[in-house]
Amino acid sequence: MLKPDVIHLHNMNTTVIPDALKVACSNCNLRELCMPVGFNQDDMNKLDEVVATRRRVKQGSLLFSNGDPFSSLYAIRTGFFKTSVSAEDGREQVTGFQMAGEIIGLDGIVSEHHSCNAVALEDSDVCVMPFAKVEDLSREFPVLQRHVHKIMSREIVRENSVMMLLGNMRAEERLAAFLLNLVQRLHARGFSQSELVLRMTREEIGSYLGMKLETVSRTFSKFSEEGIIEVKQRYVRIITPDALKKIFNPQTCS
Amino acid sequence: MLKPDVIHLHNMNTTVIPDALKVACSNCNLRELCMPVGFNQDDMNKLDEVVATRRRVKQGSLLFSNGDPFSSLYAIRTGFFKTSVSAEDGREQVTGFQMAGEIIGLDGIVSEHHSCNAVALEDSDVCVMPFAKVEDLSREFPVLQRHVHKIMSREIVRENSVMMLLGNMRAEERLAAFLLNLVQRLHARGFSQSELVLRMTREEIGSYLGMKLETVSRTFSKFSEEGIIEVKQRYVRIITPDALKKIFNPQTCS
DNA sequence: CGCGCTTTTGAGACGTGTCAAACTGGGTGG
DNA sequence: CCACCCAGTTTGACACGTCTCAAAAGCGCG
């Protein structure tokens, strides 16, 4: 009953969700996160067309990968992803971690092929938004058009600050910034602003922050010894947020 | 005769160019670089509306800076820019170098304010494209809409590879990649693929590549001693491009 | 319950940063 | 027109942070 005619895409870990299970944007509780505001009900109903299907992605499996033809953007409904690029010699760079309400796949627009990999770090559920449809509706609804532009601009600005992290900051500053960013985003989604469970390994954190997994671990331990955080494997509790902010930004936080 | 009623904006180094000097996109020789292809003449004439004005930016002066209200994108007609972000404590990270035909200002869309600084590294000339007009015409011309999306996506992809550089590569690899990227872009604009004159200082290169100016200088010297390049201050000649490619990517290039 | 992946911790190596000094070249003013 | 000045560059010696290699411990999954 729950899986009547599930169509298999790409691999066994990614399945299309049948119509009966589809949830419209108009009453999705993530709406304010991934959809523009200022629509009346009629508009919203038309906008629901953007989301053609939903797709489940099992932990550890790929939503898309480098070289895949680009067709859609993906809005994360539930779950957690990492995106990464890889050099020809196999070195991998994590370019971001994405959670519910965030959009992935923008990298594919320019060349019609994805240039990065998106891996689910936990069982996830995404809304598939065919980009052709996004563009069609963007022409009809200026507020959607503006929304799409803002999402792309936000990604550019985010990457600018990652460049600042990677180019100018030391290990402690990077990890402090990383933790603060993560809890801030989780808090915006209704989670605690002091506790979190990391969905990624030390190695993935290190790849994102441009440091080795051992250095990530050591820096966690250092913060822990200083009483700034409590760490137990993937679980992290931020005891003194101000201390973290001070490490991240020595200037402002007194 | 050449400056009848020049209006001063922002500061004395940035001037609006009078109508008489305006050059339409339709016969701009950079068209294939910053405008979409596949337009008929009528469309092109309408598209010329995008470029409201042009603006001169003197070497060393700002086109826009962090916090400025966002209103327009800028297409570089002539000249050379750097963009950078700065932390509260004053540390600066160069986020890119832009040359003729490239678009800057995308960072401002998301918050209606610019989040980075754009400085001319030589006397430059940009086309001012009010973003509201870009959006209006994008709704009318799908090919322009697609073009705008591709420009933003391209920037995201570029920043992904900078993250790879900063996160995973050593000084020599970074500088090799930087030089190869620069000559490749210059060559696409009709310049030599082996000679170039750097428009930026060692410090600015270092900021972009996440290394100190002394390390940049030493790495230049090392390449020079190895006979890979010839360096004389800002002038660089690439003697053995393959050696550079091999440094950048140990794997592929035999 | 045990295997394997992840994490932690240690010791030493190495690359890049830091500080300092000398050199170069272009621009400016006498 | 030359000398000076200064920003930018080069080079050296040393310090320091992070990486590398290694081993042990912790935890989750089958």
Side-chain angles (χ1 to χ4, degrees):
Chain A
M1 173 81 197
L2 260 173
K3 35 181 178 175
D5 54 1
V6 172
I7 300 156
H8 292 283
L9 280 186
H10 279 220
N11 58 50
M12 301 299 290
N13 294 320
T14 303
T15 53
V16 170
I17 292 157
D19 267 16
L21 292 180
K22 266 175 65 176
V23 173
C25 296
S26 43
N27 58 334
C28 171
N29 55 11
L30 289 172
R31 192 150 73 81
E32 58 282 4
L33 280 174
C34 82
M35 267 291 166
V37 293
F39 279 105
N40 59 40
Q41 195 52 49
D42 275 6
D43 288 353
M44 271 318 295
N45 290 339
K46 283 196 91 166
L47 273 180
D48 282 344
E49 296 172 22
V50 179
V51 178
T53 53
R54 277 169 44 205
R55 205 165 123 183
R56 287 243 159 82
V57 191
K58 277 232 179 77
Q59 180 172 35
S61 66
L62 285 156
L63 174 57
F64 56 80
S65 62
N66 182 19
D68 284 357
F70 166 76
S71 64
S72 305
L73 301 179
Y74 304 93
I76 303 175
R77 270 181 54 79
T78 64
F80 203 92
F81 283 83
K82 71 166 180 185
T83 48
S84 64
V85 292
S86 36
E88 284 87 344
D89 60 6
R91 280 181 289 189
E92 192 154 331
Q93 172 71 34
V94 171
T95 53
F97 297 107
Q98 297 84 16
M99 55 182 73
E102 298 180 332
I103 309 293
I104 50 185
L106 300 168
D107 59 285
I109 299 170
V110 59
S111 63
E112 318 268 10
H113 289 268
H114 287 286
S115 60
C116 68
N117 314 297
V119 178
L121 296 184
E122 60 183 38
D123 288 356
S124 301
D125 196 351
V126 302
C127 299
V128 180
M129 307 183 292
F131 191 59
K133 198 170 276 181
V134 172
E135 288 190 320
D136 286 348
L137 287 169
S138 279
R139 272 182 263 115
E140 195 172 344
F141 298 105
V143 59
L144 177 62
Q145 178 190 40
R146 171 56 59 103
H147 189 68
V148 171
H149 290 155
K150 285 195 175 188
I151 285 169
M152 301 189 80
S153 176
R154 177 177 298 118
E155 178 65 5
I156 289 169
V157 170
R158 181 190 72 83
E159 297 198 5
N160 279 344
S161 60
V162 175
M163 288 174 68
M164 166 65 82
L165 261 188
L166 294 173
N168 270 303
M169 300 195 169
R170 289 170 313 107
E172 295 172 35
E173 300 177 282
R174 296 182 198 191
L175 192 63
F178 171 74
L179 287 174
L180 288 170
N181 174 269
L182 219 48
V183 286
Q184 176 252 310
R185 284 155 66 201
L186 288 167
H187 189 229
R189 284 157 182 80
F191 295 99
S192 165
Q193 55 186 320
S194 61
E195 291 183 299
L196 68 156
V197 175
L198 300 169
R199 308 263 89 118
M200 69 295 279
T201 66
R202 299 289 187 263
E203 186 168 19
E204 287 162 337
I205 296 172
S207 174
Y208 183 57
L209 299 179
M211 46 207 255
K212 295 292 152 184
L213 68 93
E214 295 95 330
T215 307
V216 174
S217 179
R218 272 185 247 274
T219 310
F220 269 124
S221 300
K222 184 161 185 292
F223 287 172
S224 182
E225 285 161 20
E226 292 169 342
I228 298 171
I229 62 175
E230 182 192 334
V231 193
K232 202 174 178 186
Q233 304 279 122
R234 301 283 178 105
Y235 168 84
V236 177
R237 185 166 66 89
I238 298 175
I239 300 167
T240 56
D242 286 349
L244 268 191
K245 284 171 197 149
K246 195 170 174 179
I247 290 169
F248 169 49
N249 182 356
Q251 213 66 3
T252 40
C253 313
S254 65
Chain B
M1 173 81 198
L2 260 173
K3 36 181 178 176
D5 55 0
V6 173
I7 302 156
H8 293 282
L9 281 186
H10 278 222
N11 60 50
M12 301 298 290
N13 294 321
T14 304
T15 55
V16 170
I17 292 157
D19 268 15
L21 293 179
K22 266 175 64 176
V23 173
C25 296
S26 43
N27 57 335
C28 173
N29 56 11
L30 289 172
R31 192 150 74 82
E32 59 279 7
L33 280 173
C34 80
M35 269 291 165
V37 292
F39 279 105
N40 59 39
Q41 194 53 49
D42 275 5
D43 289 352
M44 273 315 297
N45 290 339
K46 282 194 93 167
L47 273 179
D48 282 345
E49 294 171 24
V50 179
V51 179
T53 53
R54 277 171 41 206
R55 206 165 122 183
R56 286 241 159 82
V57 191
K58 276 233 178 79
Q59 179 172 38
S61 65
L62 286 155
L63 174 57
F64 57 79
S65 62
N66 181 20
D68 285 357
F70 167 75
S71 64
S72 305
L73 301 180
Y74 304 93
I76 303 175
R77 271 183 52 82
T78 64
F80 203 92
F81 283 82
K82 71 166 178 185
T83 48
S84 65
V85 292
S86 35
E88 284 87 344
D89 60 5
R91 281 182 288 190
E92 193 154 331
Q93 171 70 37
V94 170
T95 53
F97 296 108
Q98 297 83 15
M99 56 181 73
E102 298 180 331
I103 309 292
I104 50 184
L106 300 168
D107 59 286
I109 298 170
V110 61
S111 63
E112 317 268 12
H113 288 269
H114 286 286
S115 62
C116 69
N117 315 297
V119 178
L121 296 184
E122 61 182 36
D123 288 355
S124 300
D125 196 352
V126 301
C127 299
V128 180
M129 306 184 293
F131 191 60
K133 198 170 275 180
V134 172
E135 288 189 321
D136 286 348
L137 287 169
S138 279
R139 271 181 264 115
E140 195 171 346
F141 298 106
V143 56
L144 176 62
Q145 178 191 39
R146 172 55 59 102
H147 189 68
V148 171
H149 290 157
K150 286 197 173 187
I151 285 169
M152 300 189 79
S153 176
R154 178 178 298 121
E155 178 65 5
I156 290 169
V157 171
R158 181 191 72 83
E159 297 197 5
N160 280 345
S161 60
V162 175
M163 288 173 69
M164 166 65 81
L165 260 188
L166 294 173
N168 271 303
M169 301 198 166
R170 290 170 313 107
E172 295 171 35
E173 299 176 283
R174 296 182 196 192
L175 192 62
F178 171 73
L179 288 173
L180 289 170
N181 174 268
L182 220 47
V183 287
Q184 176 251 310
R185 284 155 66 202
L186 288 168
H187 190 228
R189 284 157 181 80
F191 296 99
S192 165
Q193 57 186 319
S194 61
E195 291 183 298
L196 68 156
V197 175
L198 300 169
R199 306 259 96 112
M200 69 295 279
T201 66
R202 300 289 187 263
E203 185 168 21
E204 286 162 338
I205 296 172
S207 173
Y208 182 58
L209 298 178
M211 44 207 259
K212 294 292 153 183
L213 69 94
E214 296 94 329
T215 308
V216 175
S217 180
R218 271 186 249 274
T219 310
F220 269 125
S221 299
K222 184 162 184 293
F223 287 172
S224 182
E225 284 160 20
E226 290 169 345
I228 298 170
I229 62 175
E230 182 191 336
V231 193
K232 202 176 179 184
Q233 305 278 123
R234 301 284 178 103
Y235 168 86
V236 177
R237 185 166 66 89
I238 297 175
I239 300 168
T240 56
D242 285 350
L244 268 191
K245 284 170 198 148
K246 195 169 174 179
I247 290 170
F248 169 49
N249 181 354
Q251 214 66 3
T252 39
C253 312
S254 67

